[in-house]
Amino acid sequence: MIRILIAEHLPLVRRGLLATLGAEPDLRVVAEAGRPEEVVDAALAGGPDVAVVDLDLPGLPVAAQLTEQAPGCGVLMLSAAPNPGQVRRALAANALGFMSLCVPPERLAEGVRQVAAGRRAIETELAVAALQCADNPLTRRELDVLRIAAGGARSTEIADELFLSVGTVRNHLSRIMCKTGARNRLDAVRIASDCGWL
């Protein structure tokens, strides 16, 4: 019997996952959590083999905590709108699996079985996209500039926050757009987020 923890912040989705996975003869949900601060305690109390964690919980810090504090529990991340960057970040947080919330129930159950066996469970299209995503070409300072720009800040606001001149910020933004192939700074933010650089 594979023991499962479901960590999902939306009660309706959590109940759906509970019903879906609980209907499998070899799977048993032993714990559930709706808030990130509940997950590790639920894992330690329930002793699950696999934690099914929603990325929006927020799941990446939870995955890292689980692999550190409950090392016998494999992590399978779920996302409503998956992208290659999410896959890369999930794997960096030591998750064994990553799937869309749109997968058929039988595929999710099979993913749980794979993670319980210590194997990777990543949707093929997501895995290929994550592998095709280039390594981060941006410097640390360019990432700082882009992170602030992602919040809608103007060049003068970025300059003030990073103690740079406006001209230096514009040069950074120009190099960022060149390196990412972006049309503008919003496109650069999208590309960097999709690839997991931000």
Side-chain angles (χ1 to χ4, degrees):
M1 185 67 69
I2 297 171
R3 298 160 57 86
I4 303 166
L5 160 66
I6 296 174
E8 165 60 59
H9 68 292
L10 298 172
L12 189 60
V13 176
R14 189 168 63 245
R15 296 221 191 285
L17 290 169
L18 195 146
T20 297
L21 295 173
E24 297 289 322
D26 60 333
L27 306 180
R28 184 162 63 111
V29 177
V30 294
E32 56 182 288
R35 296 195 319 258
E37 60 272 14
E38 300 171 344
V39 177
V40 172
D41 288 341
L44 295 175
D49 303 302
V50 178
V52 177
V53 181
D54 184 359
L55 188 71
D56 291 333
L57 186 61
L60 291 175
V62 167
Q65 290 172 345
L66 280 171
T67 55
E68 181 182 312
Q69 296 180 41
C73 179
V75 177
L76 171 61
M77 304 290 300
L78 296 177
S79 174
N83 65 49
Q86 291 175 348
V87 175
R88 292 174 77 134
R89 287 191 295 274
L91 295 178
N94 295 316
L96 283 176
F98 193 98
M99 296 185 162
S100 166
L101 273 168
C102 298
V103 296
E106 59 275 5
R107 179 64 190 107
L108 176 60
E110 184 53 36
V112 167
R113 292 180 186 104
Q114 287 176 264
V115 169
R119 297 192 313 266
R120 295 252 181 235
I122 303 170
E123 290 179 81
T124 306
E125 289 178 18
L126 288 173
V128 170
L131 289 171
Q132 289 175 337
C133 205
D135 288 333
N136 184 357
L138 304 177
T139 65
R140 176 175 286 164
R141 180 54 87 185
E142 289 166 347
L143 285 170
D144 290 341
V145 168
L146 195 57
R147 275 190 195 95
I148 298 168
R154 297 185 313 252
S155 295
T156 54
E157 295 167 324
I158 297 169
D160 288 346
E161 188 163 336
L162 295 176
F163 305 104
L164 300 172
S165 72
V166 174
T168 299
V169 168
R170 288 186 180 136
N171 287 340
H172 281 308
L173 289 169
S174 179
R175 281 194 298 276
I176 288 166
M177 287 184 277
C178 184
K179 288 179 178 181
T180 60
R183 297 182 308 273
N184 53 46
R185 69 172 70 182
L186 286 176
D187 195 32
V189 167
R190 181 194 56 77
I191 291 167
S193 294
D194 286 352
C195 288
W197 305 333
L198 278 182

